[in-house]
C-alpha cells in the first residue's frame, strides 16, 4: 500500500471541515462566541480585536466552506456574510468603480435588476445577456467583471464556466460565479478558473430554512482584501449563532444533497412524462438543453426543478392541491417548497411558471403528491 496520503472523500470533509484540533474535555465543535469586543491590552494585534472585524465562530465556518469549495488548496480565502445578497454586493461594490463595465446575466436572481440600478447610479456601466448559449461572451469586451449564475435561477440554464473564464481573463476581466444552486458538492467554480465563488448559504448549503447567510471564496489576495474591507465598512456580518448553525449543518450536506438531488431527478422525469408539455427544466435530465454542459462541469445537478403550467389560475390550483410541498419562496431546504415565481414580478417568466425545490421526503411520496396535484388542478 502506498505511503501517500489518500485524498479525503467529500462526506468525510463535510463532517470534519473547519473543526479545531481536539482538546481534552472541549466540544468537537465549540459553541458560538458572542462578543462585541475582546480583551486587547497594548497594541491592537492578533486575529480578534472587534466584533465587526472577526469572530472565532466565523473563522471555523470560513475554513469549513473553503475546504468544500477548494479542497486541499492553500491560498484560498473565504469570508462569510449576513446573507447571500450581502456576499453578492461585497464583490460587485468592492471591485467596481465609476466608469467600469460589468456583465450580468439577464435571467438571474430577481434582485439583480435592483443591483443594476444601484451600480448605474454609481456610474458603473452594466451589460446583460442570457446564461444559455454562453451569450455573455458577446458583450465581454472592455468589461472589468463578468458575473455568472449557473445554473440560473429560476430558469435553470447552464453556461460553460471554463470557456467564459478563459474569454474574460483574455480581456483582463475578473470572473465571479454564483454557486448557490449547485453548492460546492455540485460544482467548484475556482477549479474551473473563476476568481470568486459566491453563494447564498441560506439555501441548500445549510438546508433547514432557518438562517440567512452568504459567503465569498477567492484566491486573489488584493481582491479578497477589498471584499473584507467592504464587509467591515457596511457591517454585513453574520451573527455568531447563525454561523454556528451553518457550520453544524455542513456535516449533513452530502446526505441531504444526495437525497434531494436524486429525488429532483425523479420528479423531473415524472413531470417530463406527464401528458401535457410542461416545459420541464432540470440540468440532470438527458433531454434538457443544458445537460451536455452540466455533465461536463457539475458533479450533481441541484434540487430545483422548474416547469410551466398553462395559466396563472392553473398554477395556483396546483399549489393549493399539494400536501407535502409548502407554498413558499427560497429553495434548498429539507422540506419541499414550490411557488409561482411570477408573483414577485422580478423574473421574466410566464404566469404559470413553477419553481419546485425538492426536499428530503421519500421520493415515491413526493412524486405521487406532485402528480396528484397536477391531475386535480387540471379538472
Amino acid at each position: 500500500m502506498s505511503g501517500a496520503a489518500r485524498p479525503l472523500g467529500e462526506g468525510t470533509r463535510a463532517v470534519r471541515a473547519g473543526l479545531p484540533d481536539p482538546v481534552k474535555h472541549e466540544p468537537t465543535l465549540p459553541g458560538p462566541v458572542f462578543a462585541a469586543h475582546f480583551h486587547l491590552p497594548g497594541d491592537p494585534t492578533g486575529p480578534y480585536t472587534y466584533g465587526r472585524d472577526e469572530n472565532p465562530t466565523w473563522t471555523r465556518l470560513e475554513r469549513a466552506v473553503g475546504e468544500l469549495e477548494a479542497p486541499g488548496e492553500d491560498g484560498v480565502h473565504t469570508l462569510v456574510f449576513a446573507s447571500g445578497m450581502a456576499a453578492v454586493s461585497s464583490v460587485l461594490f468592492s471591485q467596481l468603480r465609476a466608469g467600469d463595465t460589468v456583465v450580468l446575466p439577464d435571467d438571474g436572481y430577481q434582485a439583480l435588476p435592483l443591483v443594476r440600478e444601484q451600480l448605474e447610479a454609481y456610474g458603473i456601466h452594466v451589460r446583460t445577456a442570457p446564461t444559455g448559449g454562453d451569450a455573455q461572451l458577446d458583450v465581454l469586451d472592455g468589461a472589468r467583471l463578468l458575473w455568472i449564475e449557473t445554473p440560473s435561477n429560476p430558469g435553470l440554464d447552464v453556461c460553460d464556466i471554463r470557456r467564459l473564464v478563459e474569454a474574460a481573463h483574455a480581456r483582463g476581466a475578473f470572473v465571479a460565479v454564483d454557486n448557490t444552486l449547485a453548492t460546492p458538492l455540485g460544482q467548484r467554480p475556482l477549479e474551473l478558473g473563476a476568481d470568486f465563488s459566491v453563494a447564498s448559504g441560506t439555501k441548500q448549503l445549510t438546508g433547514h430554512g432557518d438562517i440567512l447567510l452568504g459567503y465569498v471564496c477567492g484566491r486573489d489576495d488584493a481582491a479578497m482584501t477589498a471584499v473584507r474591507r467592504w464587509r467591515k465598512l457596511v457591517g454585513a456580518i453574520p451573527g455568531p449563532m447563525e454561523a454556528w448553525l451553518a457550520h453544524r449543518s455542513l456535516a449533513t450536506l452530502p446526505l441531504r444533497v444526495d437525497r434531494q438531488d436524486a429525488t429532483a431527478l425523479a420528479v423531473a422525469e415524472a413531470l417530463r412524462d406527464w401528458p401535457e408539455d410542461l416545459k420541464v427544466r432540470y440540468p440532470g435530465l438527458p433531454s434538457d438543453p443544458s445537460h451536455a454542459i452540466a455533465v461536463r462541469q457539475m458533479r450533481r445537478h441541484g434540487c430545483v426543478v422548474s416547469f410551466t403550467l398553462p395559466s396563472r389560475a392553473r398554477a395556483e390550483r396546483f399549489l393549493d392541491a399539494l400536501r407535502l410541498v409548502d407554498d413558499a419562496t427560497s429553495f434548498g431546504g429539507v422540506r419541499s417548497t414550490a411557488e409561482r415565481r411570477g408573483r414577485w414580478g422580478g423574473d421574466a417568466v410566464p404566469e404559470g411558471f413553477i419553481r419546485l425545490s425538492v426536499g428530503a421526503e421519500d421520493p415515491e411520496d413526493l412524486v405521487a403528491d406532485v402528480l396528484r396535484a397536477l391531475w386535480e388542478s387540471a379538472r
Side-chain angles (χ1 to χ4, degrees), residues 101-318:
T101 296
V102 60
V103 176
L104 302 177
D106 65 11
D107 55 348
Y109 180 53
Q110 64 153 357
L112 287 182
L114 299 177
V115 171
R116 176 177 186 164
E117 289 179 15
Q118 195 61 55
L119 289 167
E120 291 177 337
Y122 289 160
I124 296 163
H125 306 292
V126 179
R127 301 178 192 148
T128 63
T131 298
D134 299 341
Q136 289 173 299
L137 285 171
D138 297 333
V139 291
L140 270 181
D141 286 348
R144 174 169 173 76
L145 177 67
L146 167 63
W147 189 273
I148 295 171
E149 187 178 302
T150 181
S152 61
N153 173 27
L156 302 182
D157 270 323
V158 173
C159 61
D160 188 329
I161 295 175
R162 194 179 295 279
R163 181 186 182 203
L164 285 164
V165 164
E166 290 174 356
H169 285 173
R171 292 164 171 82
F174 282 118
V175 180
V177 176
D178 186 328
N179 203 36
T180 302
L181 215 150
T183 82
L185 298 192
Q187 179 172 272
R188 295 187 195 132
L190 298 184
E191 286 187 358
L192 297 170
D195 301 288
F196 302 98
S197 182
V198 187
S200 168
T202 308
K203 310 300 194 295
Q204 197 175 18
L205 187 83
T206 57
H208 292 80
D210 52 8
I211 60 172
L212 296 177
L213 193 86
Y215 70 83
V216 179
C217 290
R219 292 193 187 91
D220 187 276
D221 291 344
M224 289 302 291
T225 296
V227 172
R228 182 187 296 274
R229 182 173 181 270
W230 181 264
R231 181 179 71 173
K232 177 177 179 174
L233 287 174
V234 301
I237 58 173
M241 190 67 192
E242 286 80 2
W244 184 85
L245 286 168
H247 197 170
R248 178 211 60 175
S249 298
L250 290 183
T252 62
L253 179 60
L255 304 175
R256 291 185 280 107
V257 163
D258 282 346
R259 176 61 168 259
Q260 290 173 260
D261 293 15
T263 304
L265 178 59
V267 170
E269 289 170 340
L271 291 167
R272 177 201 60 194
D273 296 338
W274 185 254
E276 298 172 273
D277 179 10
L278 300 179
K279 299 178 176 59
V280 180
R281 294 300 308 271
Y282 182 69
L285 274 178
S287 58
D288 190 272
S290 292
H291 182 72
I293 300 173
V295 295
R296 288 203 304 269
Q297 69 188 22
M298 300 180 74
R299 299 186 305 284
R300 295 176 175 85
H301 300 116
C303 64
V304 176
V305 179
S306 73
F307 58 100
T308 303
L309 293 170
S311 67
R312 171 176 178 168
R314 172 76 183 282
E316 290 174 347
R317 291 197 303 272
F318 167 77

Side-chain angles (χ1 to χ4, degrees), residues 52-76:
R52 194 177 69 250
D53 297 328
E54 290 289 352
N55 178 290
T57 311
W58 305 349
T59 300
R60 287 188 285 270
L61 175 60
E62 288 168 346
R63 288 173 180 163
V65 172
E67 288 173 26
L68 298 182
E69 282 277 353
E73 279 198 51
D74 295 325
V76 171

Side-chain angles (χ1 to χ4, degrees), residues 21-40:
D21 291 334
V23 176
K24 190 174 182 178
H25 306 309
E26 292 293 322
T28 53
L29 176 60
V33 174
F34 298 99
H37 58 266
F38 302 85
H39 288 297
L40 194 65

